[in-house]
Amino acid sequence: MRWRVRLFDGPLLESASGDEVRRFRSRKVGALLAYLALRLGKHCPREELVAALWPDELDSQVSANRLRVTLASLRRQLEPSGVPFGSVLDVSNTGLVALRSESVWCDTAALERALRAGEIGEAARLVKGDLLPGMYEDWAQLERQRFEAMTESLPVIESEPEEGAVRTDVFRNPAPLPFYLTRFVGRHKEIESLVKLIEANRLVTVVGPGGMGKTRISVETAPLVTPNAIFVPLADVGGPAQVVEAVLRALGVAPSAEDLTEQIVAFLSRRDHALLILDNAEHVLEGVAELAMQLLEAAPEVCLLVTSRQRLDIAGEAVFPLEPLEMPTPRTRYDELVEIPAVALFLDRARNARPDFVLTVKHASAMLEICRLLEGMPLALELAAARITAQTPTQIESSLATNLTGLKSRQRGLAPRHQSIAASIQGSLDLLSAELLTFFYQLSVFRGGWSVEAARFVTGCTETETSLEELVLRSLIVAHESDNVDEIRYHLLEPIRQYATESYSGTDRIAVEARHAEYFLSLAGQVSEDDIRTLQPLDAEQENLLLAVDRGSAIEWSIYVNGISGALIYAHVRGRHRRFLAIADIAYELAAKAPNIADRVRLMYSSYYIFSYIGRQERIARIGEVMRLESEEEAYVPGQILASLIASFANTTDRGFGTATELALSALAAAREFGDQTLIWRSLRIVAFSHAAAGRYAPYDSENDRLRALRVSESAARECLDTLPKTSSHRTFEILNLSYALEIQGNYDEAYDMLKLAQATALEHGMYSMLVFGIRQEAVYAQMKNLAEYAAIFDGAFFRLREMTGYNTYENPIISVVTRETKRTLGKQKLEQLQQRGRQLPLDELVAMTIHEALA
């Protein structure tokens, strides 16, 4: 709180340092302060203020000018030099004026809160004289009558304490709450939750890493709980034994010969509903814990609010983990950015540094990346925002990407721990044992989180669970329940991870990185196209997997090759083609160095999966030709079959349908002769795919030839589906092939049923590479049924999935036809609105939609 306003025996203005102001620049300034304080936090129309303060003035222009002058005078008193404009007196809403409740405490508001809460003693202590004596305006007399009726049954409280007793006047002896010159941004939900937690528990500890805003949220929350909040700074306390003395200093009580803790108990026991804030307790936990237990037992009315990077771990403690600020997502619209707390904080601090700064559309992507890099950490956002005086958001993003931990402030008066990200993090590391510090540094080789099993393998620590728990308790790592599997996962906030990475080097790091690569590439090596369940362990490990490939060249060859191949299969099924394109390039180059034909074929074929979606036609043709030549040279039949399948696919996309279908059929015959079921399934897929495409697009001389091709496609698809395992990733592809063949033959009902089955299977298997086709085909069907709005929704969903996977459409004319026809029917604006809806709809809702319902 910046100011305390007393209207009993007032108006009196009291600063955070305890200085009192009774004389205002004019009597009207004092009256305006009183009027607004009686309506603390409420926006009063300027016309209402004029009518209250100048009721006899008939000239509206004169009275408006008088109000403007009086407001300016009050602002100079409430917001002196150095205090941000609008932080106390809010005129942000046109025609309205208010005193901010987060910046001002008022005795009348506190009295009404105490009466509502049934705190009679506290309410009585707040009544010290008459309300606004000497003010006889109508509004003042009405308020005086209202409060007289409200307080007439309250007991009389002596203004002076008994001789020898400790004074307990509200806010007199204790040090005031910290005074902040910056606006408090976001955290409204957190404050609401924290208030409820304090009201239900006598000891609450707000925990979180340095720079998360623990002190600020505690100071902002305390006045909402009680006016008797006492702030005890512990950051500079030398050791646990000095905690009690620090509390006495904050209370304004001189230590005596008697027991110091008893002095604290005596003081607090005479204050109704006291809240003791013990701030920055992590380095003196033992002393704080001991005092907390004594106070909880000896002073039943006292509540404790502790801020620390580590919980106290004592009975009765309720822990409030302070999470990072909410961040924008890639789907956050530009016009929604300013409503996201992380962005709002950055903008507020940036405008403090450069008042003319405006967030524009061109800054949106940079703002997203800044928030992602800083992971919503308030201190980091504030330090980054200060750079706006010399850098654009794009330049700030670029500098953070390479030197995030270099964030520091040049502002004077900041505590050392808040002057830089490095100082904030190092303060926590200084409290770790040598063994725990080493373990912490080793965890920096992970990216995107890790499991207990991964940490045990990579670090080699025999006490992995205990060490992880200890670091969680110290707010250095974050634990959360996995969305993919039933386990707890851990991660480092990005600023902390980067700091640990920069601090950890040498041969030990090289060895730990090698174990990291071995673990995740071994995990990827277990992926099977025919068991979709083998992909699930990688769903949370994409960042680690990408990193492992970069680090894996020094590990055992077989683990490296199997891991890369498995990673590319995973990327293909999950629709991560664009993200894993660099790994496909590595596999393609690595194939030439492979010591045996089996590894060469495996690397080339897995890279083909990615290139086929991205549209690298020349690369695909090259892979097929090299694989054919090398496999023929070494008489490696699986390689020959796969080379034919790749060539068939390439010819299909290039509209060489005759060659494509011949290659597919020859590959299927060879696979049957070879007797490998997996090769048979792959061949059946391409037979069905090439013949369906030929049936739709090839210039056949007779309709019978076209139908013959379509029946071959249908037959291959049905055979494949009859023999494929239910868990095979090939199922969605083959159901779609069957749907296409049926649709071209005119069997629309069965074709549509197969299409919806393909969508559902793709969603169930997480096979987004196939879902993109299923969603596209739904738009085509809707267009055929003249359901333009329905088609536009699925058109938008298709574009979203295409962007996500990086899929290249090879200029498929059907796609452009759907968009063109729906635009013609609906108009550009309506089309874009419906496409945007399709982009935003959850995939399960899209798949559940049907054309039948739309027609009905």
Side-chain angles (χ1 to χ4, degrees), residues 61-79:
Q61 186 63 46
V62 171
S63 57
N65 288 336
R66 287 176 175 173
L67 176 60
R68 190 160 40 250
V69 171
T70 305
L71 274 172
S73 181
L74 181 59
R75 181 181 299 286
R76 285 193 294 271
Q77 201 141 21
L78 296 176
E79 298 175 0

Side-chain angles (χ1 to χ4, degrees), residues 332-348:
T332 302
R333 298 198 312 268
Y334 163 72
D335 58 351
E336 297 173 336
L337 275 177
V338 295
E339 301 173 7
I340 306 299
V343 178
L345 178 63
F346 181 94
L347 292 180
D348 182 79

Side-chain angles (χ1 to χ4, degrees), residues 70-354:
T70 305
L71 274 172
S73 181
L74 181 59
R75 181 181 299 286
R76 285 193 294 271
Q77 201 141 21
L78 296 176
E79 298 175 0
S81 178
V83 177
F85 180 88
S87 60
V88 179
L89 197 58
D90 183 8
V91 292
S92 58
N93 294 305
T94 304
L96 301 175
V97 182
L99 279 179
R100 292 188 181 275
S101 57
E102 64 266 29
S103 301
V104 176
W105 175 90
C106 182
D107 55 359
T108 55
L111 171 64
E112 292 187 88
R113 281 198 303 270
L115 288 173
R116 285 195 300 269
E119 299 169 352
I120 303 303
E122 178 59 31
R125 289 189 180 92
L126 288 166
V127 181
K128 298 185 177 181
D130 294 332
L131 182 77
L132 299 174
M135 284 193 182
Y136 300 105
E137 290 88 342
D138 290 346
W139 62 268
Q141 295 193 63
L142 288 173
E143 291 290 349
R144 195 154 41 243
Q145 293 170 11
R146 183 168 74 89
F147 275 93
E148 285 175 357
M150 193 186 303
T151 60
E152 63 182 356
S153 61
L154 292 177
V156 177
I157 303 295
E158 296 294 335
S159 60
E160 294 296 328
E162 298 177 8
E163 184 177 354
V166 181
R167 289 192 61 187
T168 59
D169 294 13
V170 178
F171 294 120
R172 294 301 180 182
N173 288 328
L177 296 177
F179 177 66
Y180 290 100
L181 295 175
T182 54
R183 191 165 68 92
F184 184 65
V185 177
R187 302 290 199 198
H188 301 301
K189 292 181 181 179
E190 290 93 329
I191 284 182
E192 183 178 343
S193 299
L194 185 54
V195 167
K196 292 179 180 178
L197 198 63
I198 296 171
E199 290 174 345
N201 299 274
R202 291 183 57 210
L203 170 61
V204 176
T205 302
V206 180
V207 298
M212 197 56 71
K214 300 182 293 297
T215 300
R216 184 69 185 266
I217 194 173
S218 298
V219 171
E220 298 292 340
T221 302
L224 302 178
V225 178
T226 175
N228 283 336
I230 303 156
F231 185 82
V232 183
L234 299 175
D236 297 326
V237 172
Q242 301 173 23
V243 170
V244 173
E245 293 179 8
V247 174
L248 284 173
R249 281 196 300 274
L251 297 178
V253 177
S256 64
E258 62 186 281
D259 184 276
L260 300 184
T261 304
E262 288 185 3
Q263 278 191 276
I264 296 173
V265 171
F267 183 94
L268 295 175
S269 296
R270 292 180 174 87
R271 300 176 67 84
D272 192 33
H273 198 39
L275 177 66
L276 194 63
I277 304 174
L278 301 171
D279 185 56
N280 284 297
E282 57 273 351
H283 65 299
V284 287
L285 281 178
E286 184 178 339
V288 172
E290 182 179 353
L291 176 63
M293 289 188 290
Q294 293 173 332
L295 292 179
L296 291 174
E297 181 178 356
E301 297 303 317
V302 174
C303 291
L304 303 176
L305 179 59
V306 180
T307 74
S308 175
R309 301 183 187 190
Q310 183 176 351
R311 65 182 66 183
L312 301 184
D313 268 338
I314 62 176
E317 178 185 29
V319 178
F320 185 84
L322 189 58
E323 303 289 341
L325 287 170
E326 180 188 348
M327 297 183 293
T329 69
R331 296 179 65 185
T332 302
R333 298 198 312 268
Y334 163 72
D335 58 351
E336 297 173 336
L337 275 177
V338 295
E339 301 173 7
I340 306 299
V343 178
L345 178 63
F346 181 94
L347 292 180
D348 182 79
R349 302 309 189 253
R351 287 167 182 157
N352 284 348
R354 199 181 102 193

Side-chain angles (χ1 to χ4, degrees), residues 532-549:
I532 206 75
R533 294 167 297 184
T534 61
L535 279 70
Q536 191 176 41
L538 292 180
D539 284 337
E541 307 294 2
Q542 290 183 57
E543 297 294 334
N544 282 312
L545 190 54
L546 290 164
L547 204 56
V549 173

Side-chain angles (χ1 to χ4, degrees), residues 441-452:
Y441 281 143
Q442 289 173 332
L443 297 176
S444 68
V445 304
F446 291 100
R447 186 172 293 172
W450 63 87
S451 64
V452 173

